[in-house]
Amino acid sequence: MYRKMVTLQVMDTIFYDAQRQGRISFYVTTIGEEAINIGSAAALNATDVVFSQYREPGVLMWRGFTLQQFANQCYGNEYDLGKGRQMPVHYGSNELNYLTVSSPIATQVPQAVGAAYGLKMDKKDACAVTYFGDGGTSEGDFHAGMNFAAVLGAPVLFICRNNGWAISTPTSEQFRSDGVAIKGQAYGVRSIRVDGNDALAVYFAVKNARKMAVEEFRPILIEALTYRVGHHSTSDDSSKYRSVDEIEYWRTRRDPVARLRMFLQSNRWWDDENEDLLRQDLRTQMMSVLHNAESKKKPGLSNLFEDVYDVIPQNLKEQEQETQAIVGKYPKDYPSDVPLD
Amino acid sequence: MALNKMFGAIRGRAPSQKLARISSQMQSPSSLRSFCAAAKEMTVRDALNSAIDEEMSADSKVYLMGEEVGEYQGAYKISKGLLQKFGPDRVLDTPITEAGFTGIGVGSAFYGLKPIVEFMTFNFAMQAIDHIINSAAKTNYMSAGQISVPIVFRGPNGAAAGVAAQHSQCFAAWYGSCPGLKVLSPYSAEDARGLLKAAIRDPDPVVFLENEILYGEAFPVSAEVLDPSFVLPIGKAKIEREGTDVTVTAFSKMVGYALKAAEILEKEGINVEVINLRSIRPLDRATINQSVRKTNRLVTVEEGWPQHGIGAEICTSVVEESFDYLDAPVERITGADVPMPYAANLERMAVPQIEDIVRAVKRACSRSARGK
């Protein structure tokens, strides 16, 4: 678990820098929330279906998504599982039961309930899991999802990353309730609040919640308290609306990765040498992964027209042919790194 | 009134003029019936009900969800008997959250179920339109084919009678412009059965626009249509009435109006070809253009608003592909560019009437001055 948390931290730092250097167009970090990501992921089964917001790549990482795959998606190259269709950090993998990230806030909440209902009908030993932030609990979809889950008896885990900020809106301006756990209780959903920066606490909370959800056909809400150390995204500069001291305090003194490290080291399961080796190795890996992703071609032109429908319709086939003809005729007007097929 | 309906329906079934002449000599509907190969009649309501029933029986992944669909037997009784037959696991009465149950339906479709989400009217679906467009329509594309969304959104669309602005909007143009969606709109019972079955079986999200006024209308149905394996292709329009002088396109309730207008015009020597679009997206441009190349004149009819409407798209398609075949400018008949008023006289003026279609056809055939 610790290794994965460090990997997530290193990956985030390097991708963020890559965006700043203009190598990728956009990025969203998970700094400060590694414990929620990895702790919860470790407590789930591989067959549990994940509906994330966009700050949970650690769950995908835990399940086996490689650094190269993350990079391929951010670069939108021909190896991107998303075929260059989505913005960076909108990862998805059918194989790993992690649905492609969708930007609108909280839409994944009722969707997860729907999927959970399906799992219940199929009598599968699996649950649906959905993640969202404190801001997401204000959306209408959150209300609908919670209400339905309770009424339908759907085996779904609602994991709220209460990180204190929704872009520039602090929780004091987001809601006046006593946090998020109480909202769950209002719907008749068993709820718990945990220290989101304690990886082991998150692990055990999710483990127990999952058991209840699957065995008793009930939804569970977990409010994990944490702090969003990074900016909302690379399009944001959070020093504009919060004090740099506050950010630094949480980044250094309340780092969930360092906290687990202290615990491991105090039990002599880890030491400084291991730490340095790990981080160095990761940096080298990331550099090569970035370089690899950058050098690959972009997806071919046909990817523009496929997957709109299950079977490509005639009008799109015609448009594709027309486009290929024009690009073939005026190749200098089009980017040279986009293959024509 | 019933006799007129029979005429229209028979013409729809057998486009030959001979049969129409024979049946015009009959006085009673029952003797008319003996001339039809189809002895059975079915209302659109029963057609939809039977389609859902059969598809739910055939595939255990299909389920129905919406407000009042279960215990109440459906706000318009479309889902009558289904809760009793399939149980509460497959016919779900939902709390009043369109956004919620649409999101849940989409999520379950992501998982692999085949939901039919009923909106009491498509006006209320606006509260869920984010899920219809952003969660359903775009997902197959955005996930690069990893997540398919085999969902059907259905319910009454367009004007009813005296229900005013927030219950009368036609959404064909809005949904019809969205890639990733298929949009269907039935007219007859045969359309309702065949298209709904096709929609339920389709792996892509389908918006199925019904019409409240048509629910109670009965149409003759052949044995073929009644068979559980009956299905109509998505993307194919139907020539309801063959003609030579002018092409009139319409969908849903307006098909009936167009057919009635065609009868009136027949007496004045204008032979109208009526196309029942059936499918808004994909639009059957081939059939429409083929027809216009034959008749050289086009009138489009719809109840919805004029700007960016279905008629606008059809007109452009014909101008792009069959410009040289047009002998007259394209006429479009649409609803008035106002929110639907309530007062009966105002409402009547806000939607196309048969006389409007007749006048437009005459304009297209240069029988009257432009603008009359």
Side-chain angles (χ1 to χ4, degrees):
Chain A
M1 249 172 58
Y2 179 68
R3 281 181 203 275
K4 287 293 179 200
M5 284 169 69
V6 175
T7 311
L8 180 54
Q9 206 179 49
V10 172
M11 179 180 90
D12 266 357
T13 316
I14 299 201
F15 273 137
Y16 184 85
D17 289 342
Q19 194 277 341
R20 282 300 183 238
Q21 293 164 17
R23 293 163 83 177
I24 55 178
S25 64
F26 176 80
Y27 194 71
V28 167
T29 62
T30 310
I31 308 284
E33 303 182 45
E34 296 88 349
I36 297 177
N37 268 240
I38 304 296
S40 63
L44 299 171
N45 285 11
T47 48
D48 294 332
V49 189
V50 176
F51 288 78
S52 60
Q53 183 66 75
Y54 46 61
R55 220 179 287 279
E56 303 89 7
V59 179
L60 199 50
M61 182 184 277
W62 176 267
R63 290 183 169 194
F65 212 61
T66 64
L67 293 174
Q68 189 65 63
Q69 284 177 309
F70 281 113
N72 288 341
Q73 198 280 334
C74 287
Y75 275 92
N77 63 32
E78 62 179 330
Y79 291 98
D80 168 23
L81 277 183
K83 297 186 194 167
R85 302 275 173 66
Q86 264 283 33
M87 295 169 67
V89 309
H90 288 68
Y91 317 108
S93 166
N94 260 8
E95 203 193 315
L96 302 177
N97 286 314
Y98 187 101
L99 269 84
T100 309
V101 176
S102 164
S103 318
I105 301 292
T107 52
Q108 71 277 11
V109 177
Q111 289 167 6
V113 179
Y117 187 75
L119 288 167
K120 182 178 174 182
M121 274 177 76
D122 279 357
K123 303 188 171 37
K124 290 255 162 73
D125 174 21
C127 66
V129 186
T130 179
Y131 296 83
F132 44 91
D134 37 286
T137 68
S138 293
E139 283 279 3
D141 272 345
F142 170 77
H143 155 81
M146 296 293 294
N147 197 32
F148 271 89
V151 168
L152 293 175
V156 54
L157 302 186
F158 297 102
I159 302 181
C160 176
R161 295 175 293 97
N162 185 345
N163 62 20
W165 294 92
I167 309 191
S168 69
T169 309
T171 45
S172 57
E173 288 173 28
Q174 188 67 247
F175 42 69
R176 288 296 158 86
S177 57
D178 178 14
V180 173
I182 197 170
K183 295 193 193 189
Q185 288 180 330
Y187 291 101
V189 173
R190 206 176 271 170
S191 308
I192 189 173
R193 172 178 289 160
V194 338
D195 179 351
N197 283 5
D198 179 346
L200 295 174
V202 172
Y203 175 82
F204 284 111
V206 173
K207 195 123 189 122
N208 282 301
R210 188 197 175 277
K211 188 162 192 283
M212 280 182 227
V214 173
E215 287 176 10
E216 298 170 43
F217 292 115
R218 52 161 67 240
I220 310 282
L221 170 66
I222 298 170
E223 178 186 10
L225 296 180
T226 180
Y227 187 83
R228 190 197 79 209
V229 171
H231 306 301
H232 167 69
S233 71
T234 48
S235 308
D236 174 47
D237 173 10
S238 58
S239 64
K240 293 228 152 63
Y241 50 80
R242 52 184 190 175
S243 82
V244 179
D245 290 337
E246 180 188 301
I247 304 173
E248 274 312 292
Y249 167 75
W250 282 90
R251 196 179 66 80
T252 52
R253 304 269 297 277
R254 305 288 295 266
D255 177 13
V257 182
R259 184 166 168 184
L260 189 59
R261 180 181 164 185
M262 294 295 131
F263 177 74
L264 294 176
Q265 290 196 197
S266 72
N267 280 293
R268 293 180 211 279
W269 296 326
W270 193 255
D271 59 37
D272 287 349
E273 208 193 311
N274 286 337
E275 182 77 12
D276 291 337
L277 275 171
L278 176 63
R279 289 193 179 258
Q280 224 170 350
D281 181 49
L282 284 169
R283 283 200 80 87
T284 321
Q285 269 188 59
M286 280 303 301
M287 286 306 150
S288 110
V289 145
L290 272 186
H291 178 74
N292 233 328
E294 234 162 19
S295 64
K296 295 283 176 289
K297 288 188 295 185
K298 299 297 181 208
L301 190 55
S302 63
N303 285 289
L304 182 62
F305 301 98
E306 280 159 17
D307 301 320
V308 180
Y309 296 98
D310 194 53
V311 175
I312 186 170
Q314 190 54 35
N315 69 319
L316 284 185
K317 277 197 202 146
E318 286 167 19
Q319 287 179 28
E320 188 183 342
Q321 281 159 7
E322 280 175 32
T323 315
Q324 277 181 348
I326 294 181
V327 174
K329 203 168 164 194
Y330 306 103
K332 292 208 184 69
D333 292 342
Y334 293 90
S336 52
D337 61 349
V338 178
L340 265 188
D341 51 5
Chain B
M1 185 58 197
L3 207 60
N4 271 343
K5 234 191 310 184
M6 267 314 220
F7 280 147
I10 287 175
R11 282 227 182 80
R13 221 186 37 78
S16 71
Q17 299 295 0
K18 219 173 175 184
L19 188 64
R21 270 203 289 278
I22 292 170
S23 41
S24 67
Q25 287 159 21
M26 304 310 293
Q27 292 308 304
S28 70
S30 51
S31 39
L32 256 162
R33 231 171 259 147
S34 63
F35 271 74
C36 310
K40 196 152 191 277
E41 268 205 334
M42 195 180 223
T43 60
V44 171
R45 173 177 290 118
D46 290 340
L48 294 168
N49 181 278
S50 61
I52 299 174
D53 192 329
E54 284 161 25
E55 294 305 302
M56 282 180 74
S57 299
D59 186 345
S60 60
K61 296 217 172 291
V62 179
Y63 73 97
L64 177 65
M65 175 164 66
E67 293 156 7
E68 312 298 338
V69 297
E71 294 286 352
Y72 196 73
Q73 311 293 308
Y76 298 98
K77 305 292 180 260
I78 306 295
S79 51
K80 188 168 171 199
L82 296 181
L83 174 65
Q84 285 66 39
K85 183 168 175 182
F86 295 101
D89 272 355
R90 296 195 54 206
V91 179
L92 276 71
D93 275 325
T94 63
I96 312 175
T97 338
E98 279 75 9
F101 62 74
T102 307
I104 283 158
V106 171
S108 72
F110 287 172
Y111 169 77
L113 295 183
K114 294 183 187 169
I116 304 169
V117 175
E118 174 173 314
F119 295 113
M120 209 175 278
T121 82
F122 266 95
N123 297 274
F124 309 151
M126 279 202 282
Q127 303 208 291
I129 205 167
D130 176 62
H131 276 298
I132 299 175
I133 308 298
N134 275 334
S135 302
K138 299 180 186 172
T139 289
N140 196 49
Y141 189 75
M142 288 197 304
S143 71
Q146 294 190 83
I147 306 173
S148 91
V149 197
I151 192 169
V152 175
F153 302 106
R154 49 161 291 271
N157 173 63
V163 288
Q166 294 173 335
H167 294 72
S168 308
Q169 191 173 331
C170 175
F171 291 88
W174 284 16
Y175 289 121
S177 72
C178 183
L181 282 182
K182 290 179 179 163
V183 182
L184 304 174
S185 193
Y187 161 61
S188 62
E190 176 182 329
D191 288 357
R193 264 184 67 78
L195 292 177
L196 186 53
K197 278 162 159 297
I200 295 169
R201 296 180 195 184
D202 199 286
D204 296 311
V206 181
V207 169
F208 196 81
L209 304 171
E210 300 161 7
N211 185 286
E212 190 199 320
I213 307 289
L214 286 177
Y215 282 153
E217 199 164 313
F219 294 84
V221 281
S222 66
E224 188 200 340
V225 169
L226 292 171
D227 191 87
S229 66
F230 176 69
V231 76
L232 285 173
I234 291 180
K236 282 296 296 168
K238 181 184 178 197
I239 313 265
E240 287 286 347
R241 181 191 202 280
E242 271 181 30
T244 52
D245 297 337
V246 60
T247 300
V248 174
T249 63
F251 61 96
S252 190
K253 195 169 90 195
M254 290 291 115
V255 175
Y257 280 36
L259 289 170
K260 293 205 180 81
E263 281 165 43
I264 295 172
L265 289 157
E266 186 69 46
K267 298 192 182 77
E268 308 198 27
I270 299 178
N271 192 241
V272 177
E273 177 149 295
V274 176
I275 299 183
N276 172 5
L277 294 175
R278 283 183 166 173
S279 182
I280 306 291
R281 186 176 180 102
L283 199 56
D284 190 352
R285 298 164 205 276
T287 299
I288 297 168
N289 276 279
Q290 193 176 29
S291 171
V292 174
R293 287 178 183 215
K294 181 177 73 170
T295 65
N296 311 121
R297 296 162 202 278
L298 174 63
V299 174
T300 69
V301 184
E302 67 198 285
E303 267 190 326
W305 294 320
Q307 192 165 341
H308 313 299
I310 305 298
E313 177 63 31
I314 293 176
C315 174
T316 306
S317 171
V318 165
V319 163
E320 282 173 352
E321 293 180 45
S322 311
F323 181 71
D324 294 330
Y325 292 82
L326 282 170
D327 283 349
V330 175
E331 295 276 343
R332 60 176 168 172
I333 299 294
T334 71
D337 197 23
V338 298
M340 186 68 68
Y342 168 73
N345 59 327
L346 295 179
E347 186 182 31
R348 201 184 180 285
M349 288 169 65
V351 282
Q353 302 299 330
I354 298 171
E355 305 83 66
D356 297 313
I357 304 175
V358 170
R359 271 197 298 274
V361 168
K362 284 185 178 169
R363 282 197 302 274
C365 294
S366 313
R367 294 291 190 90
S368 59
R370 291 269 297 281
K372 283 236 184 85

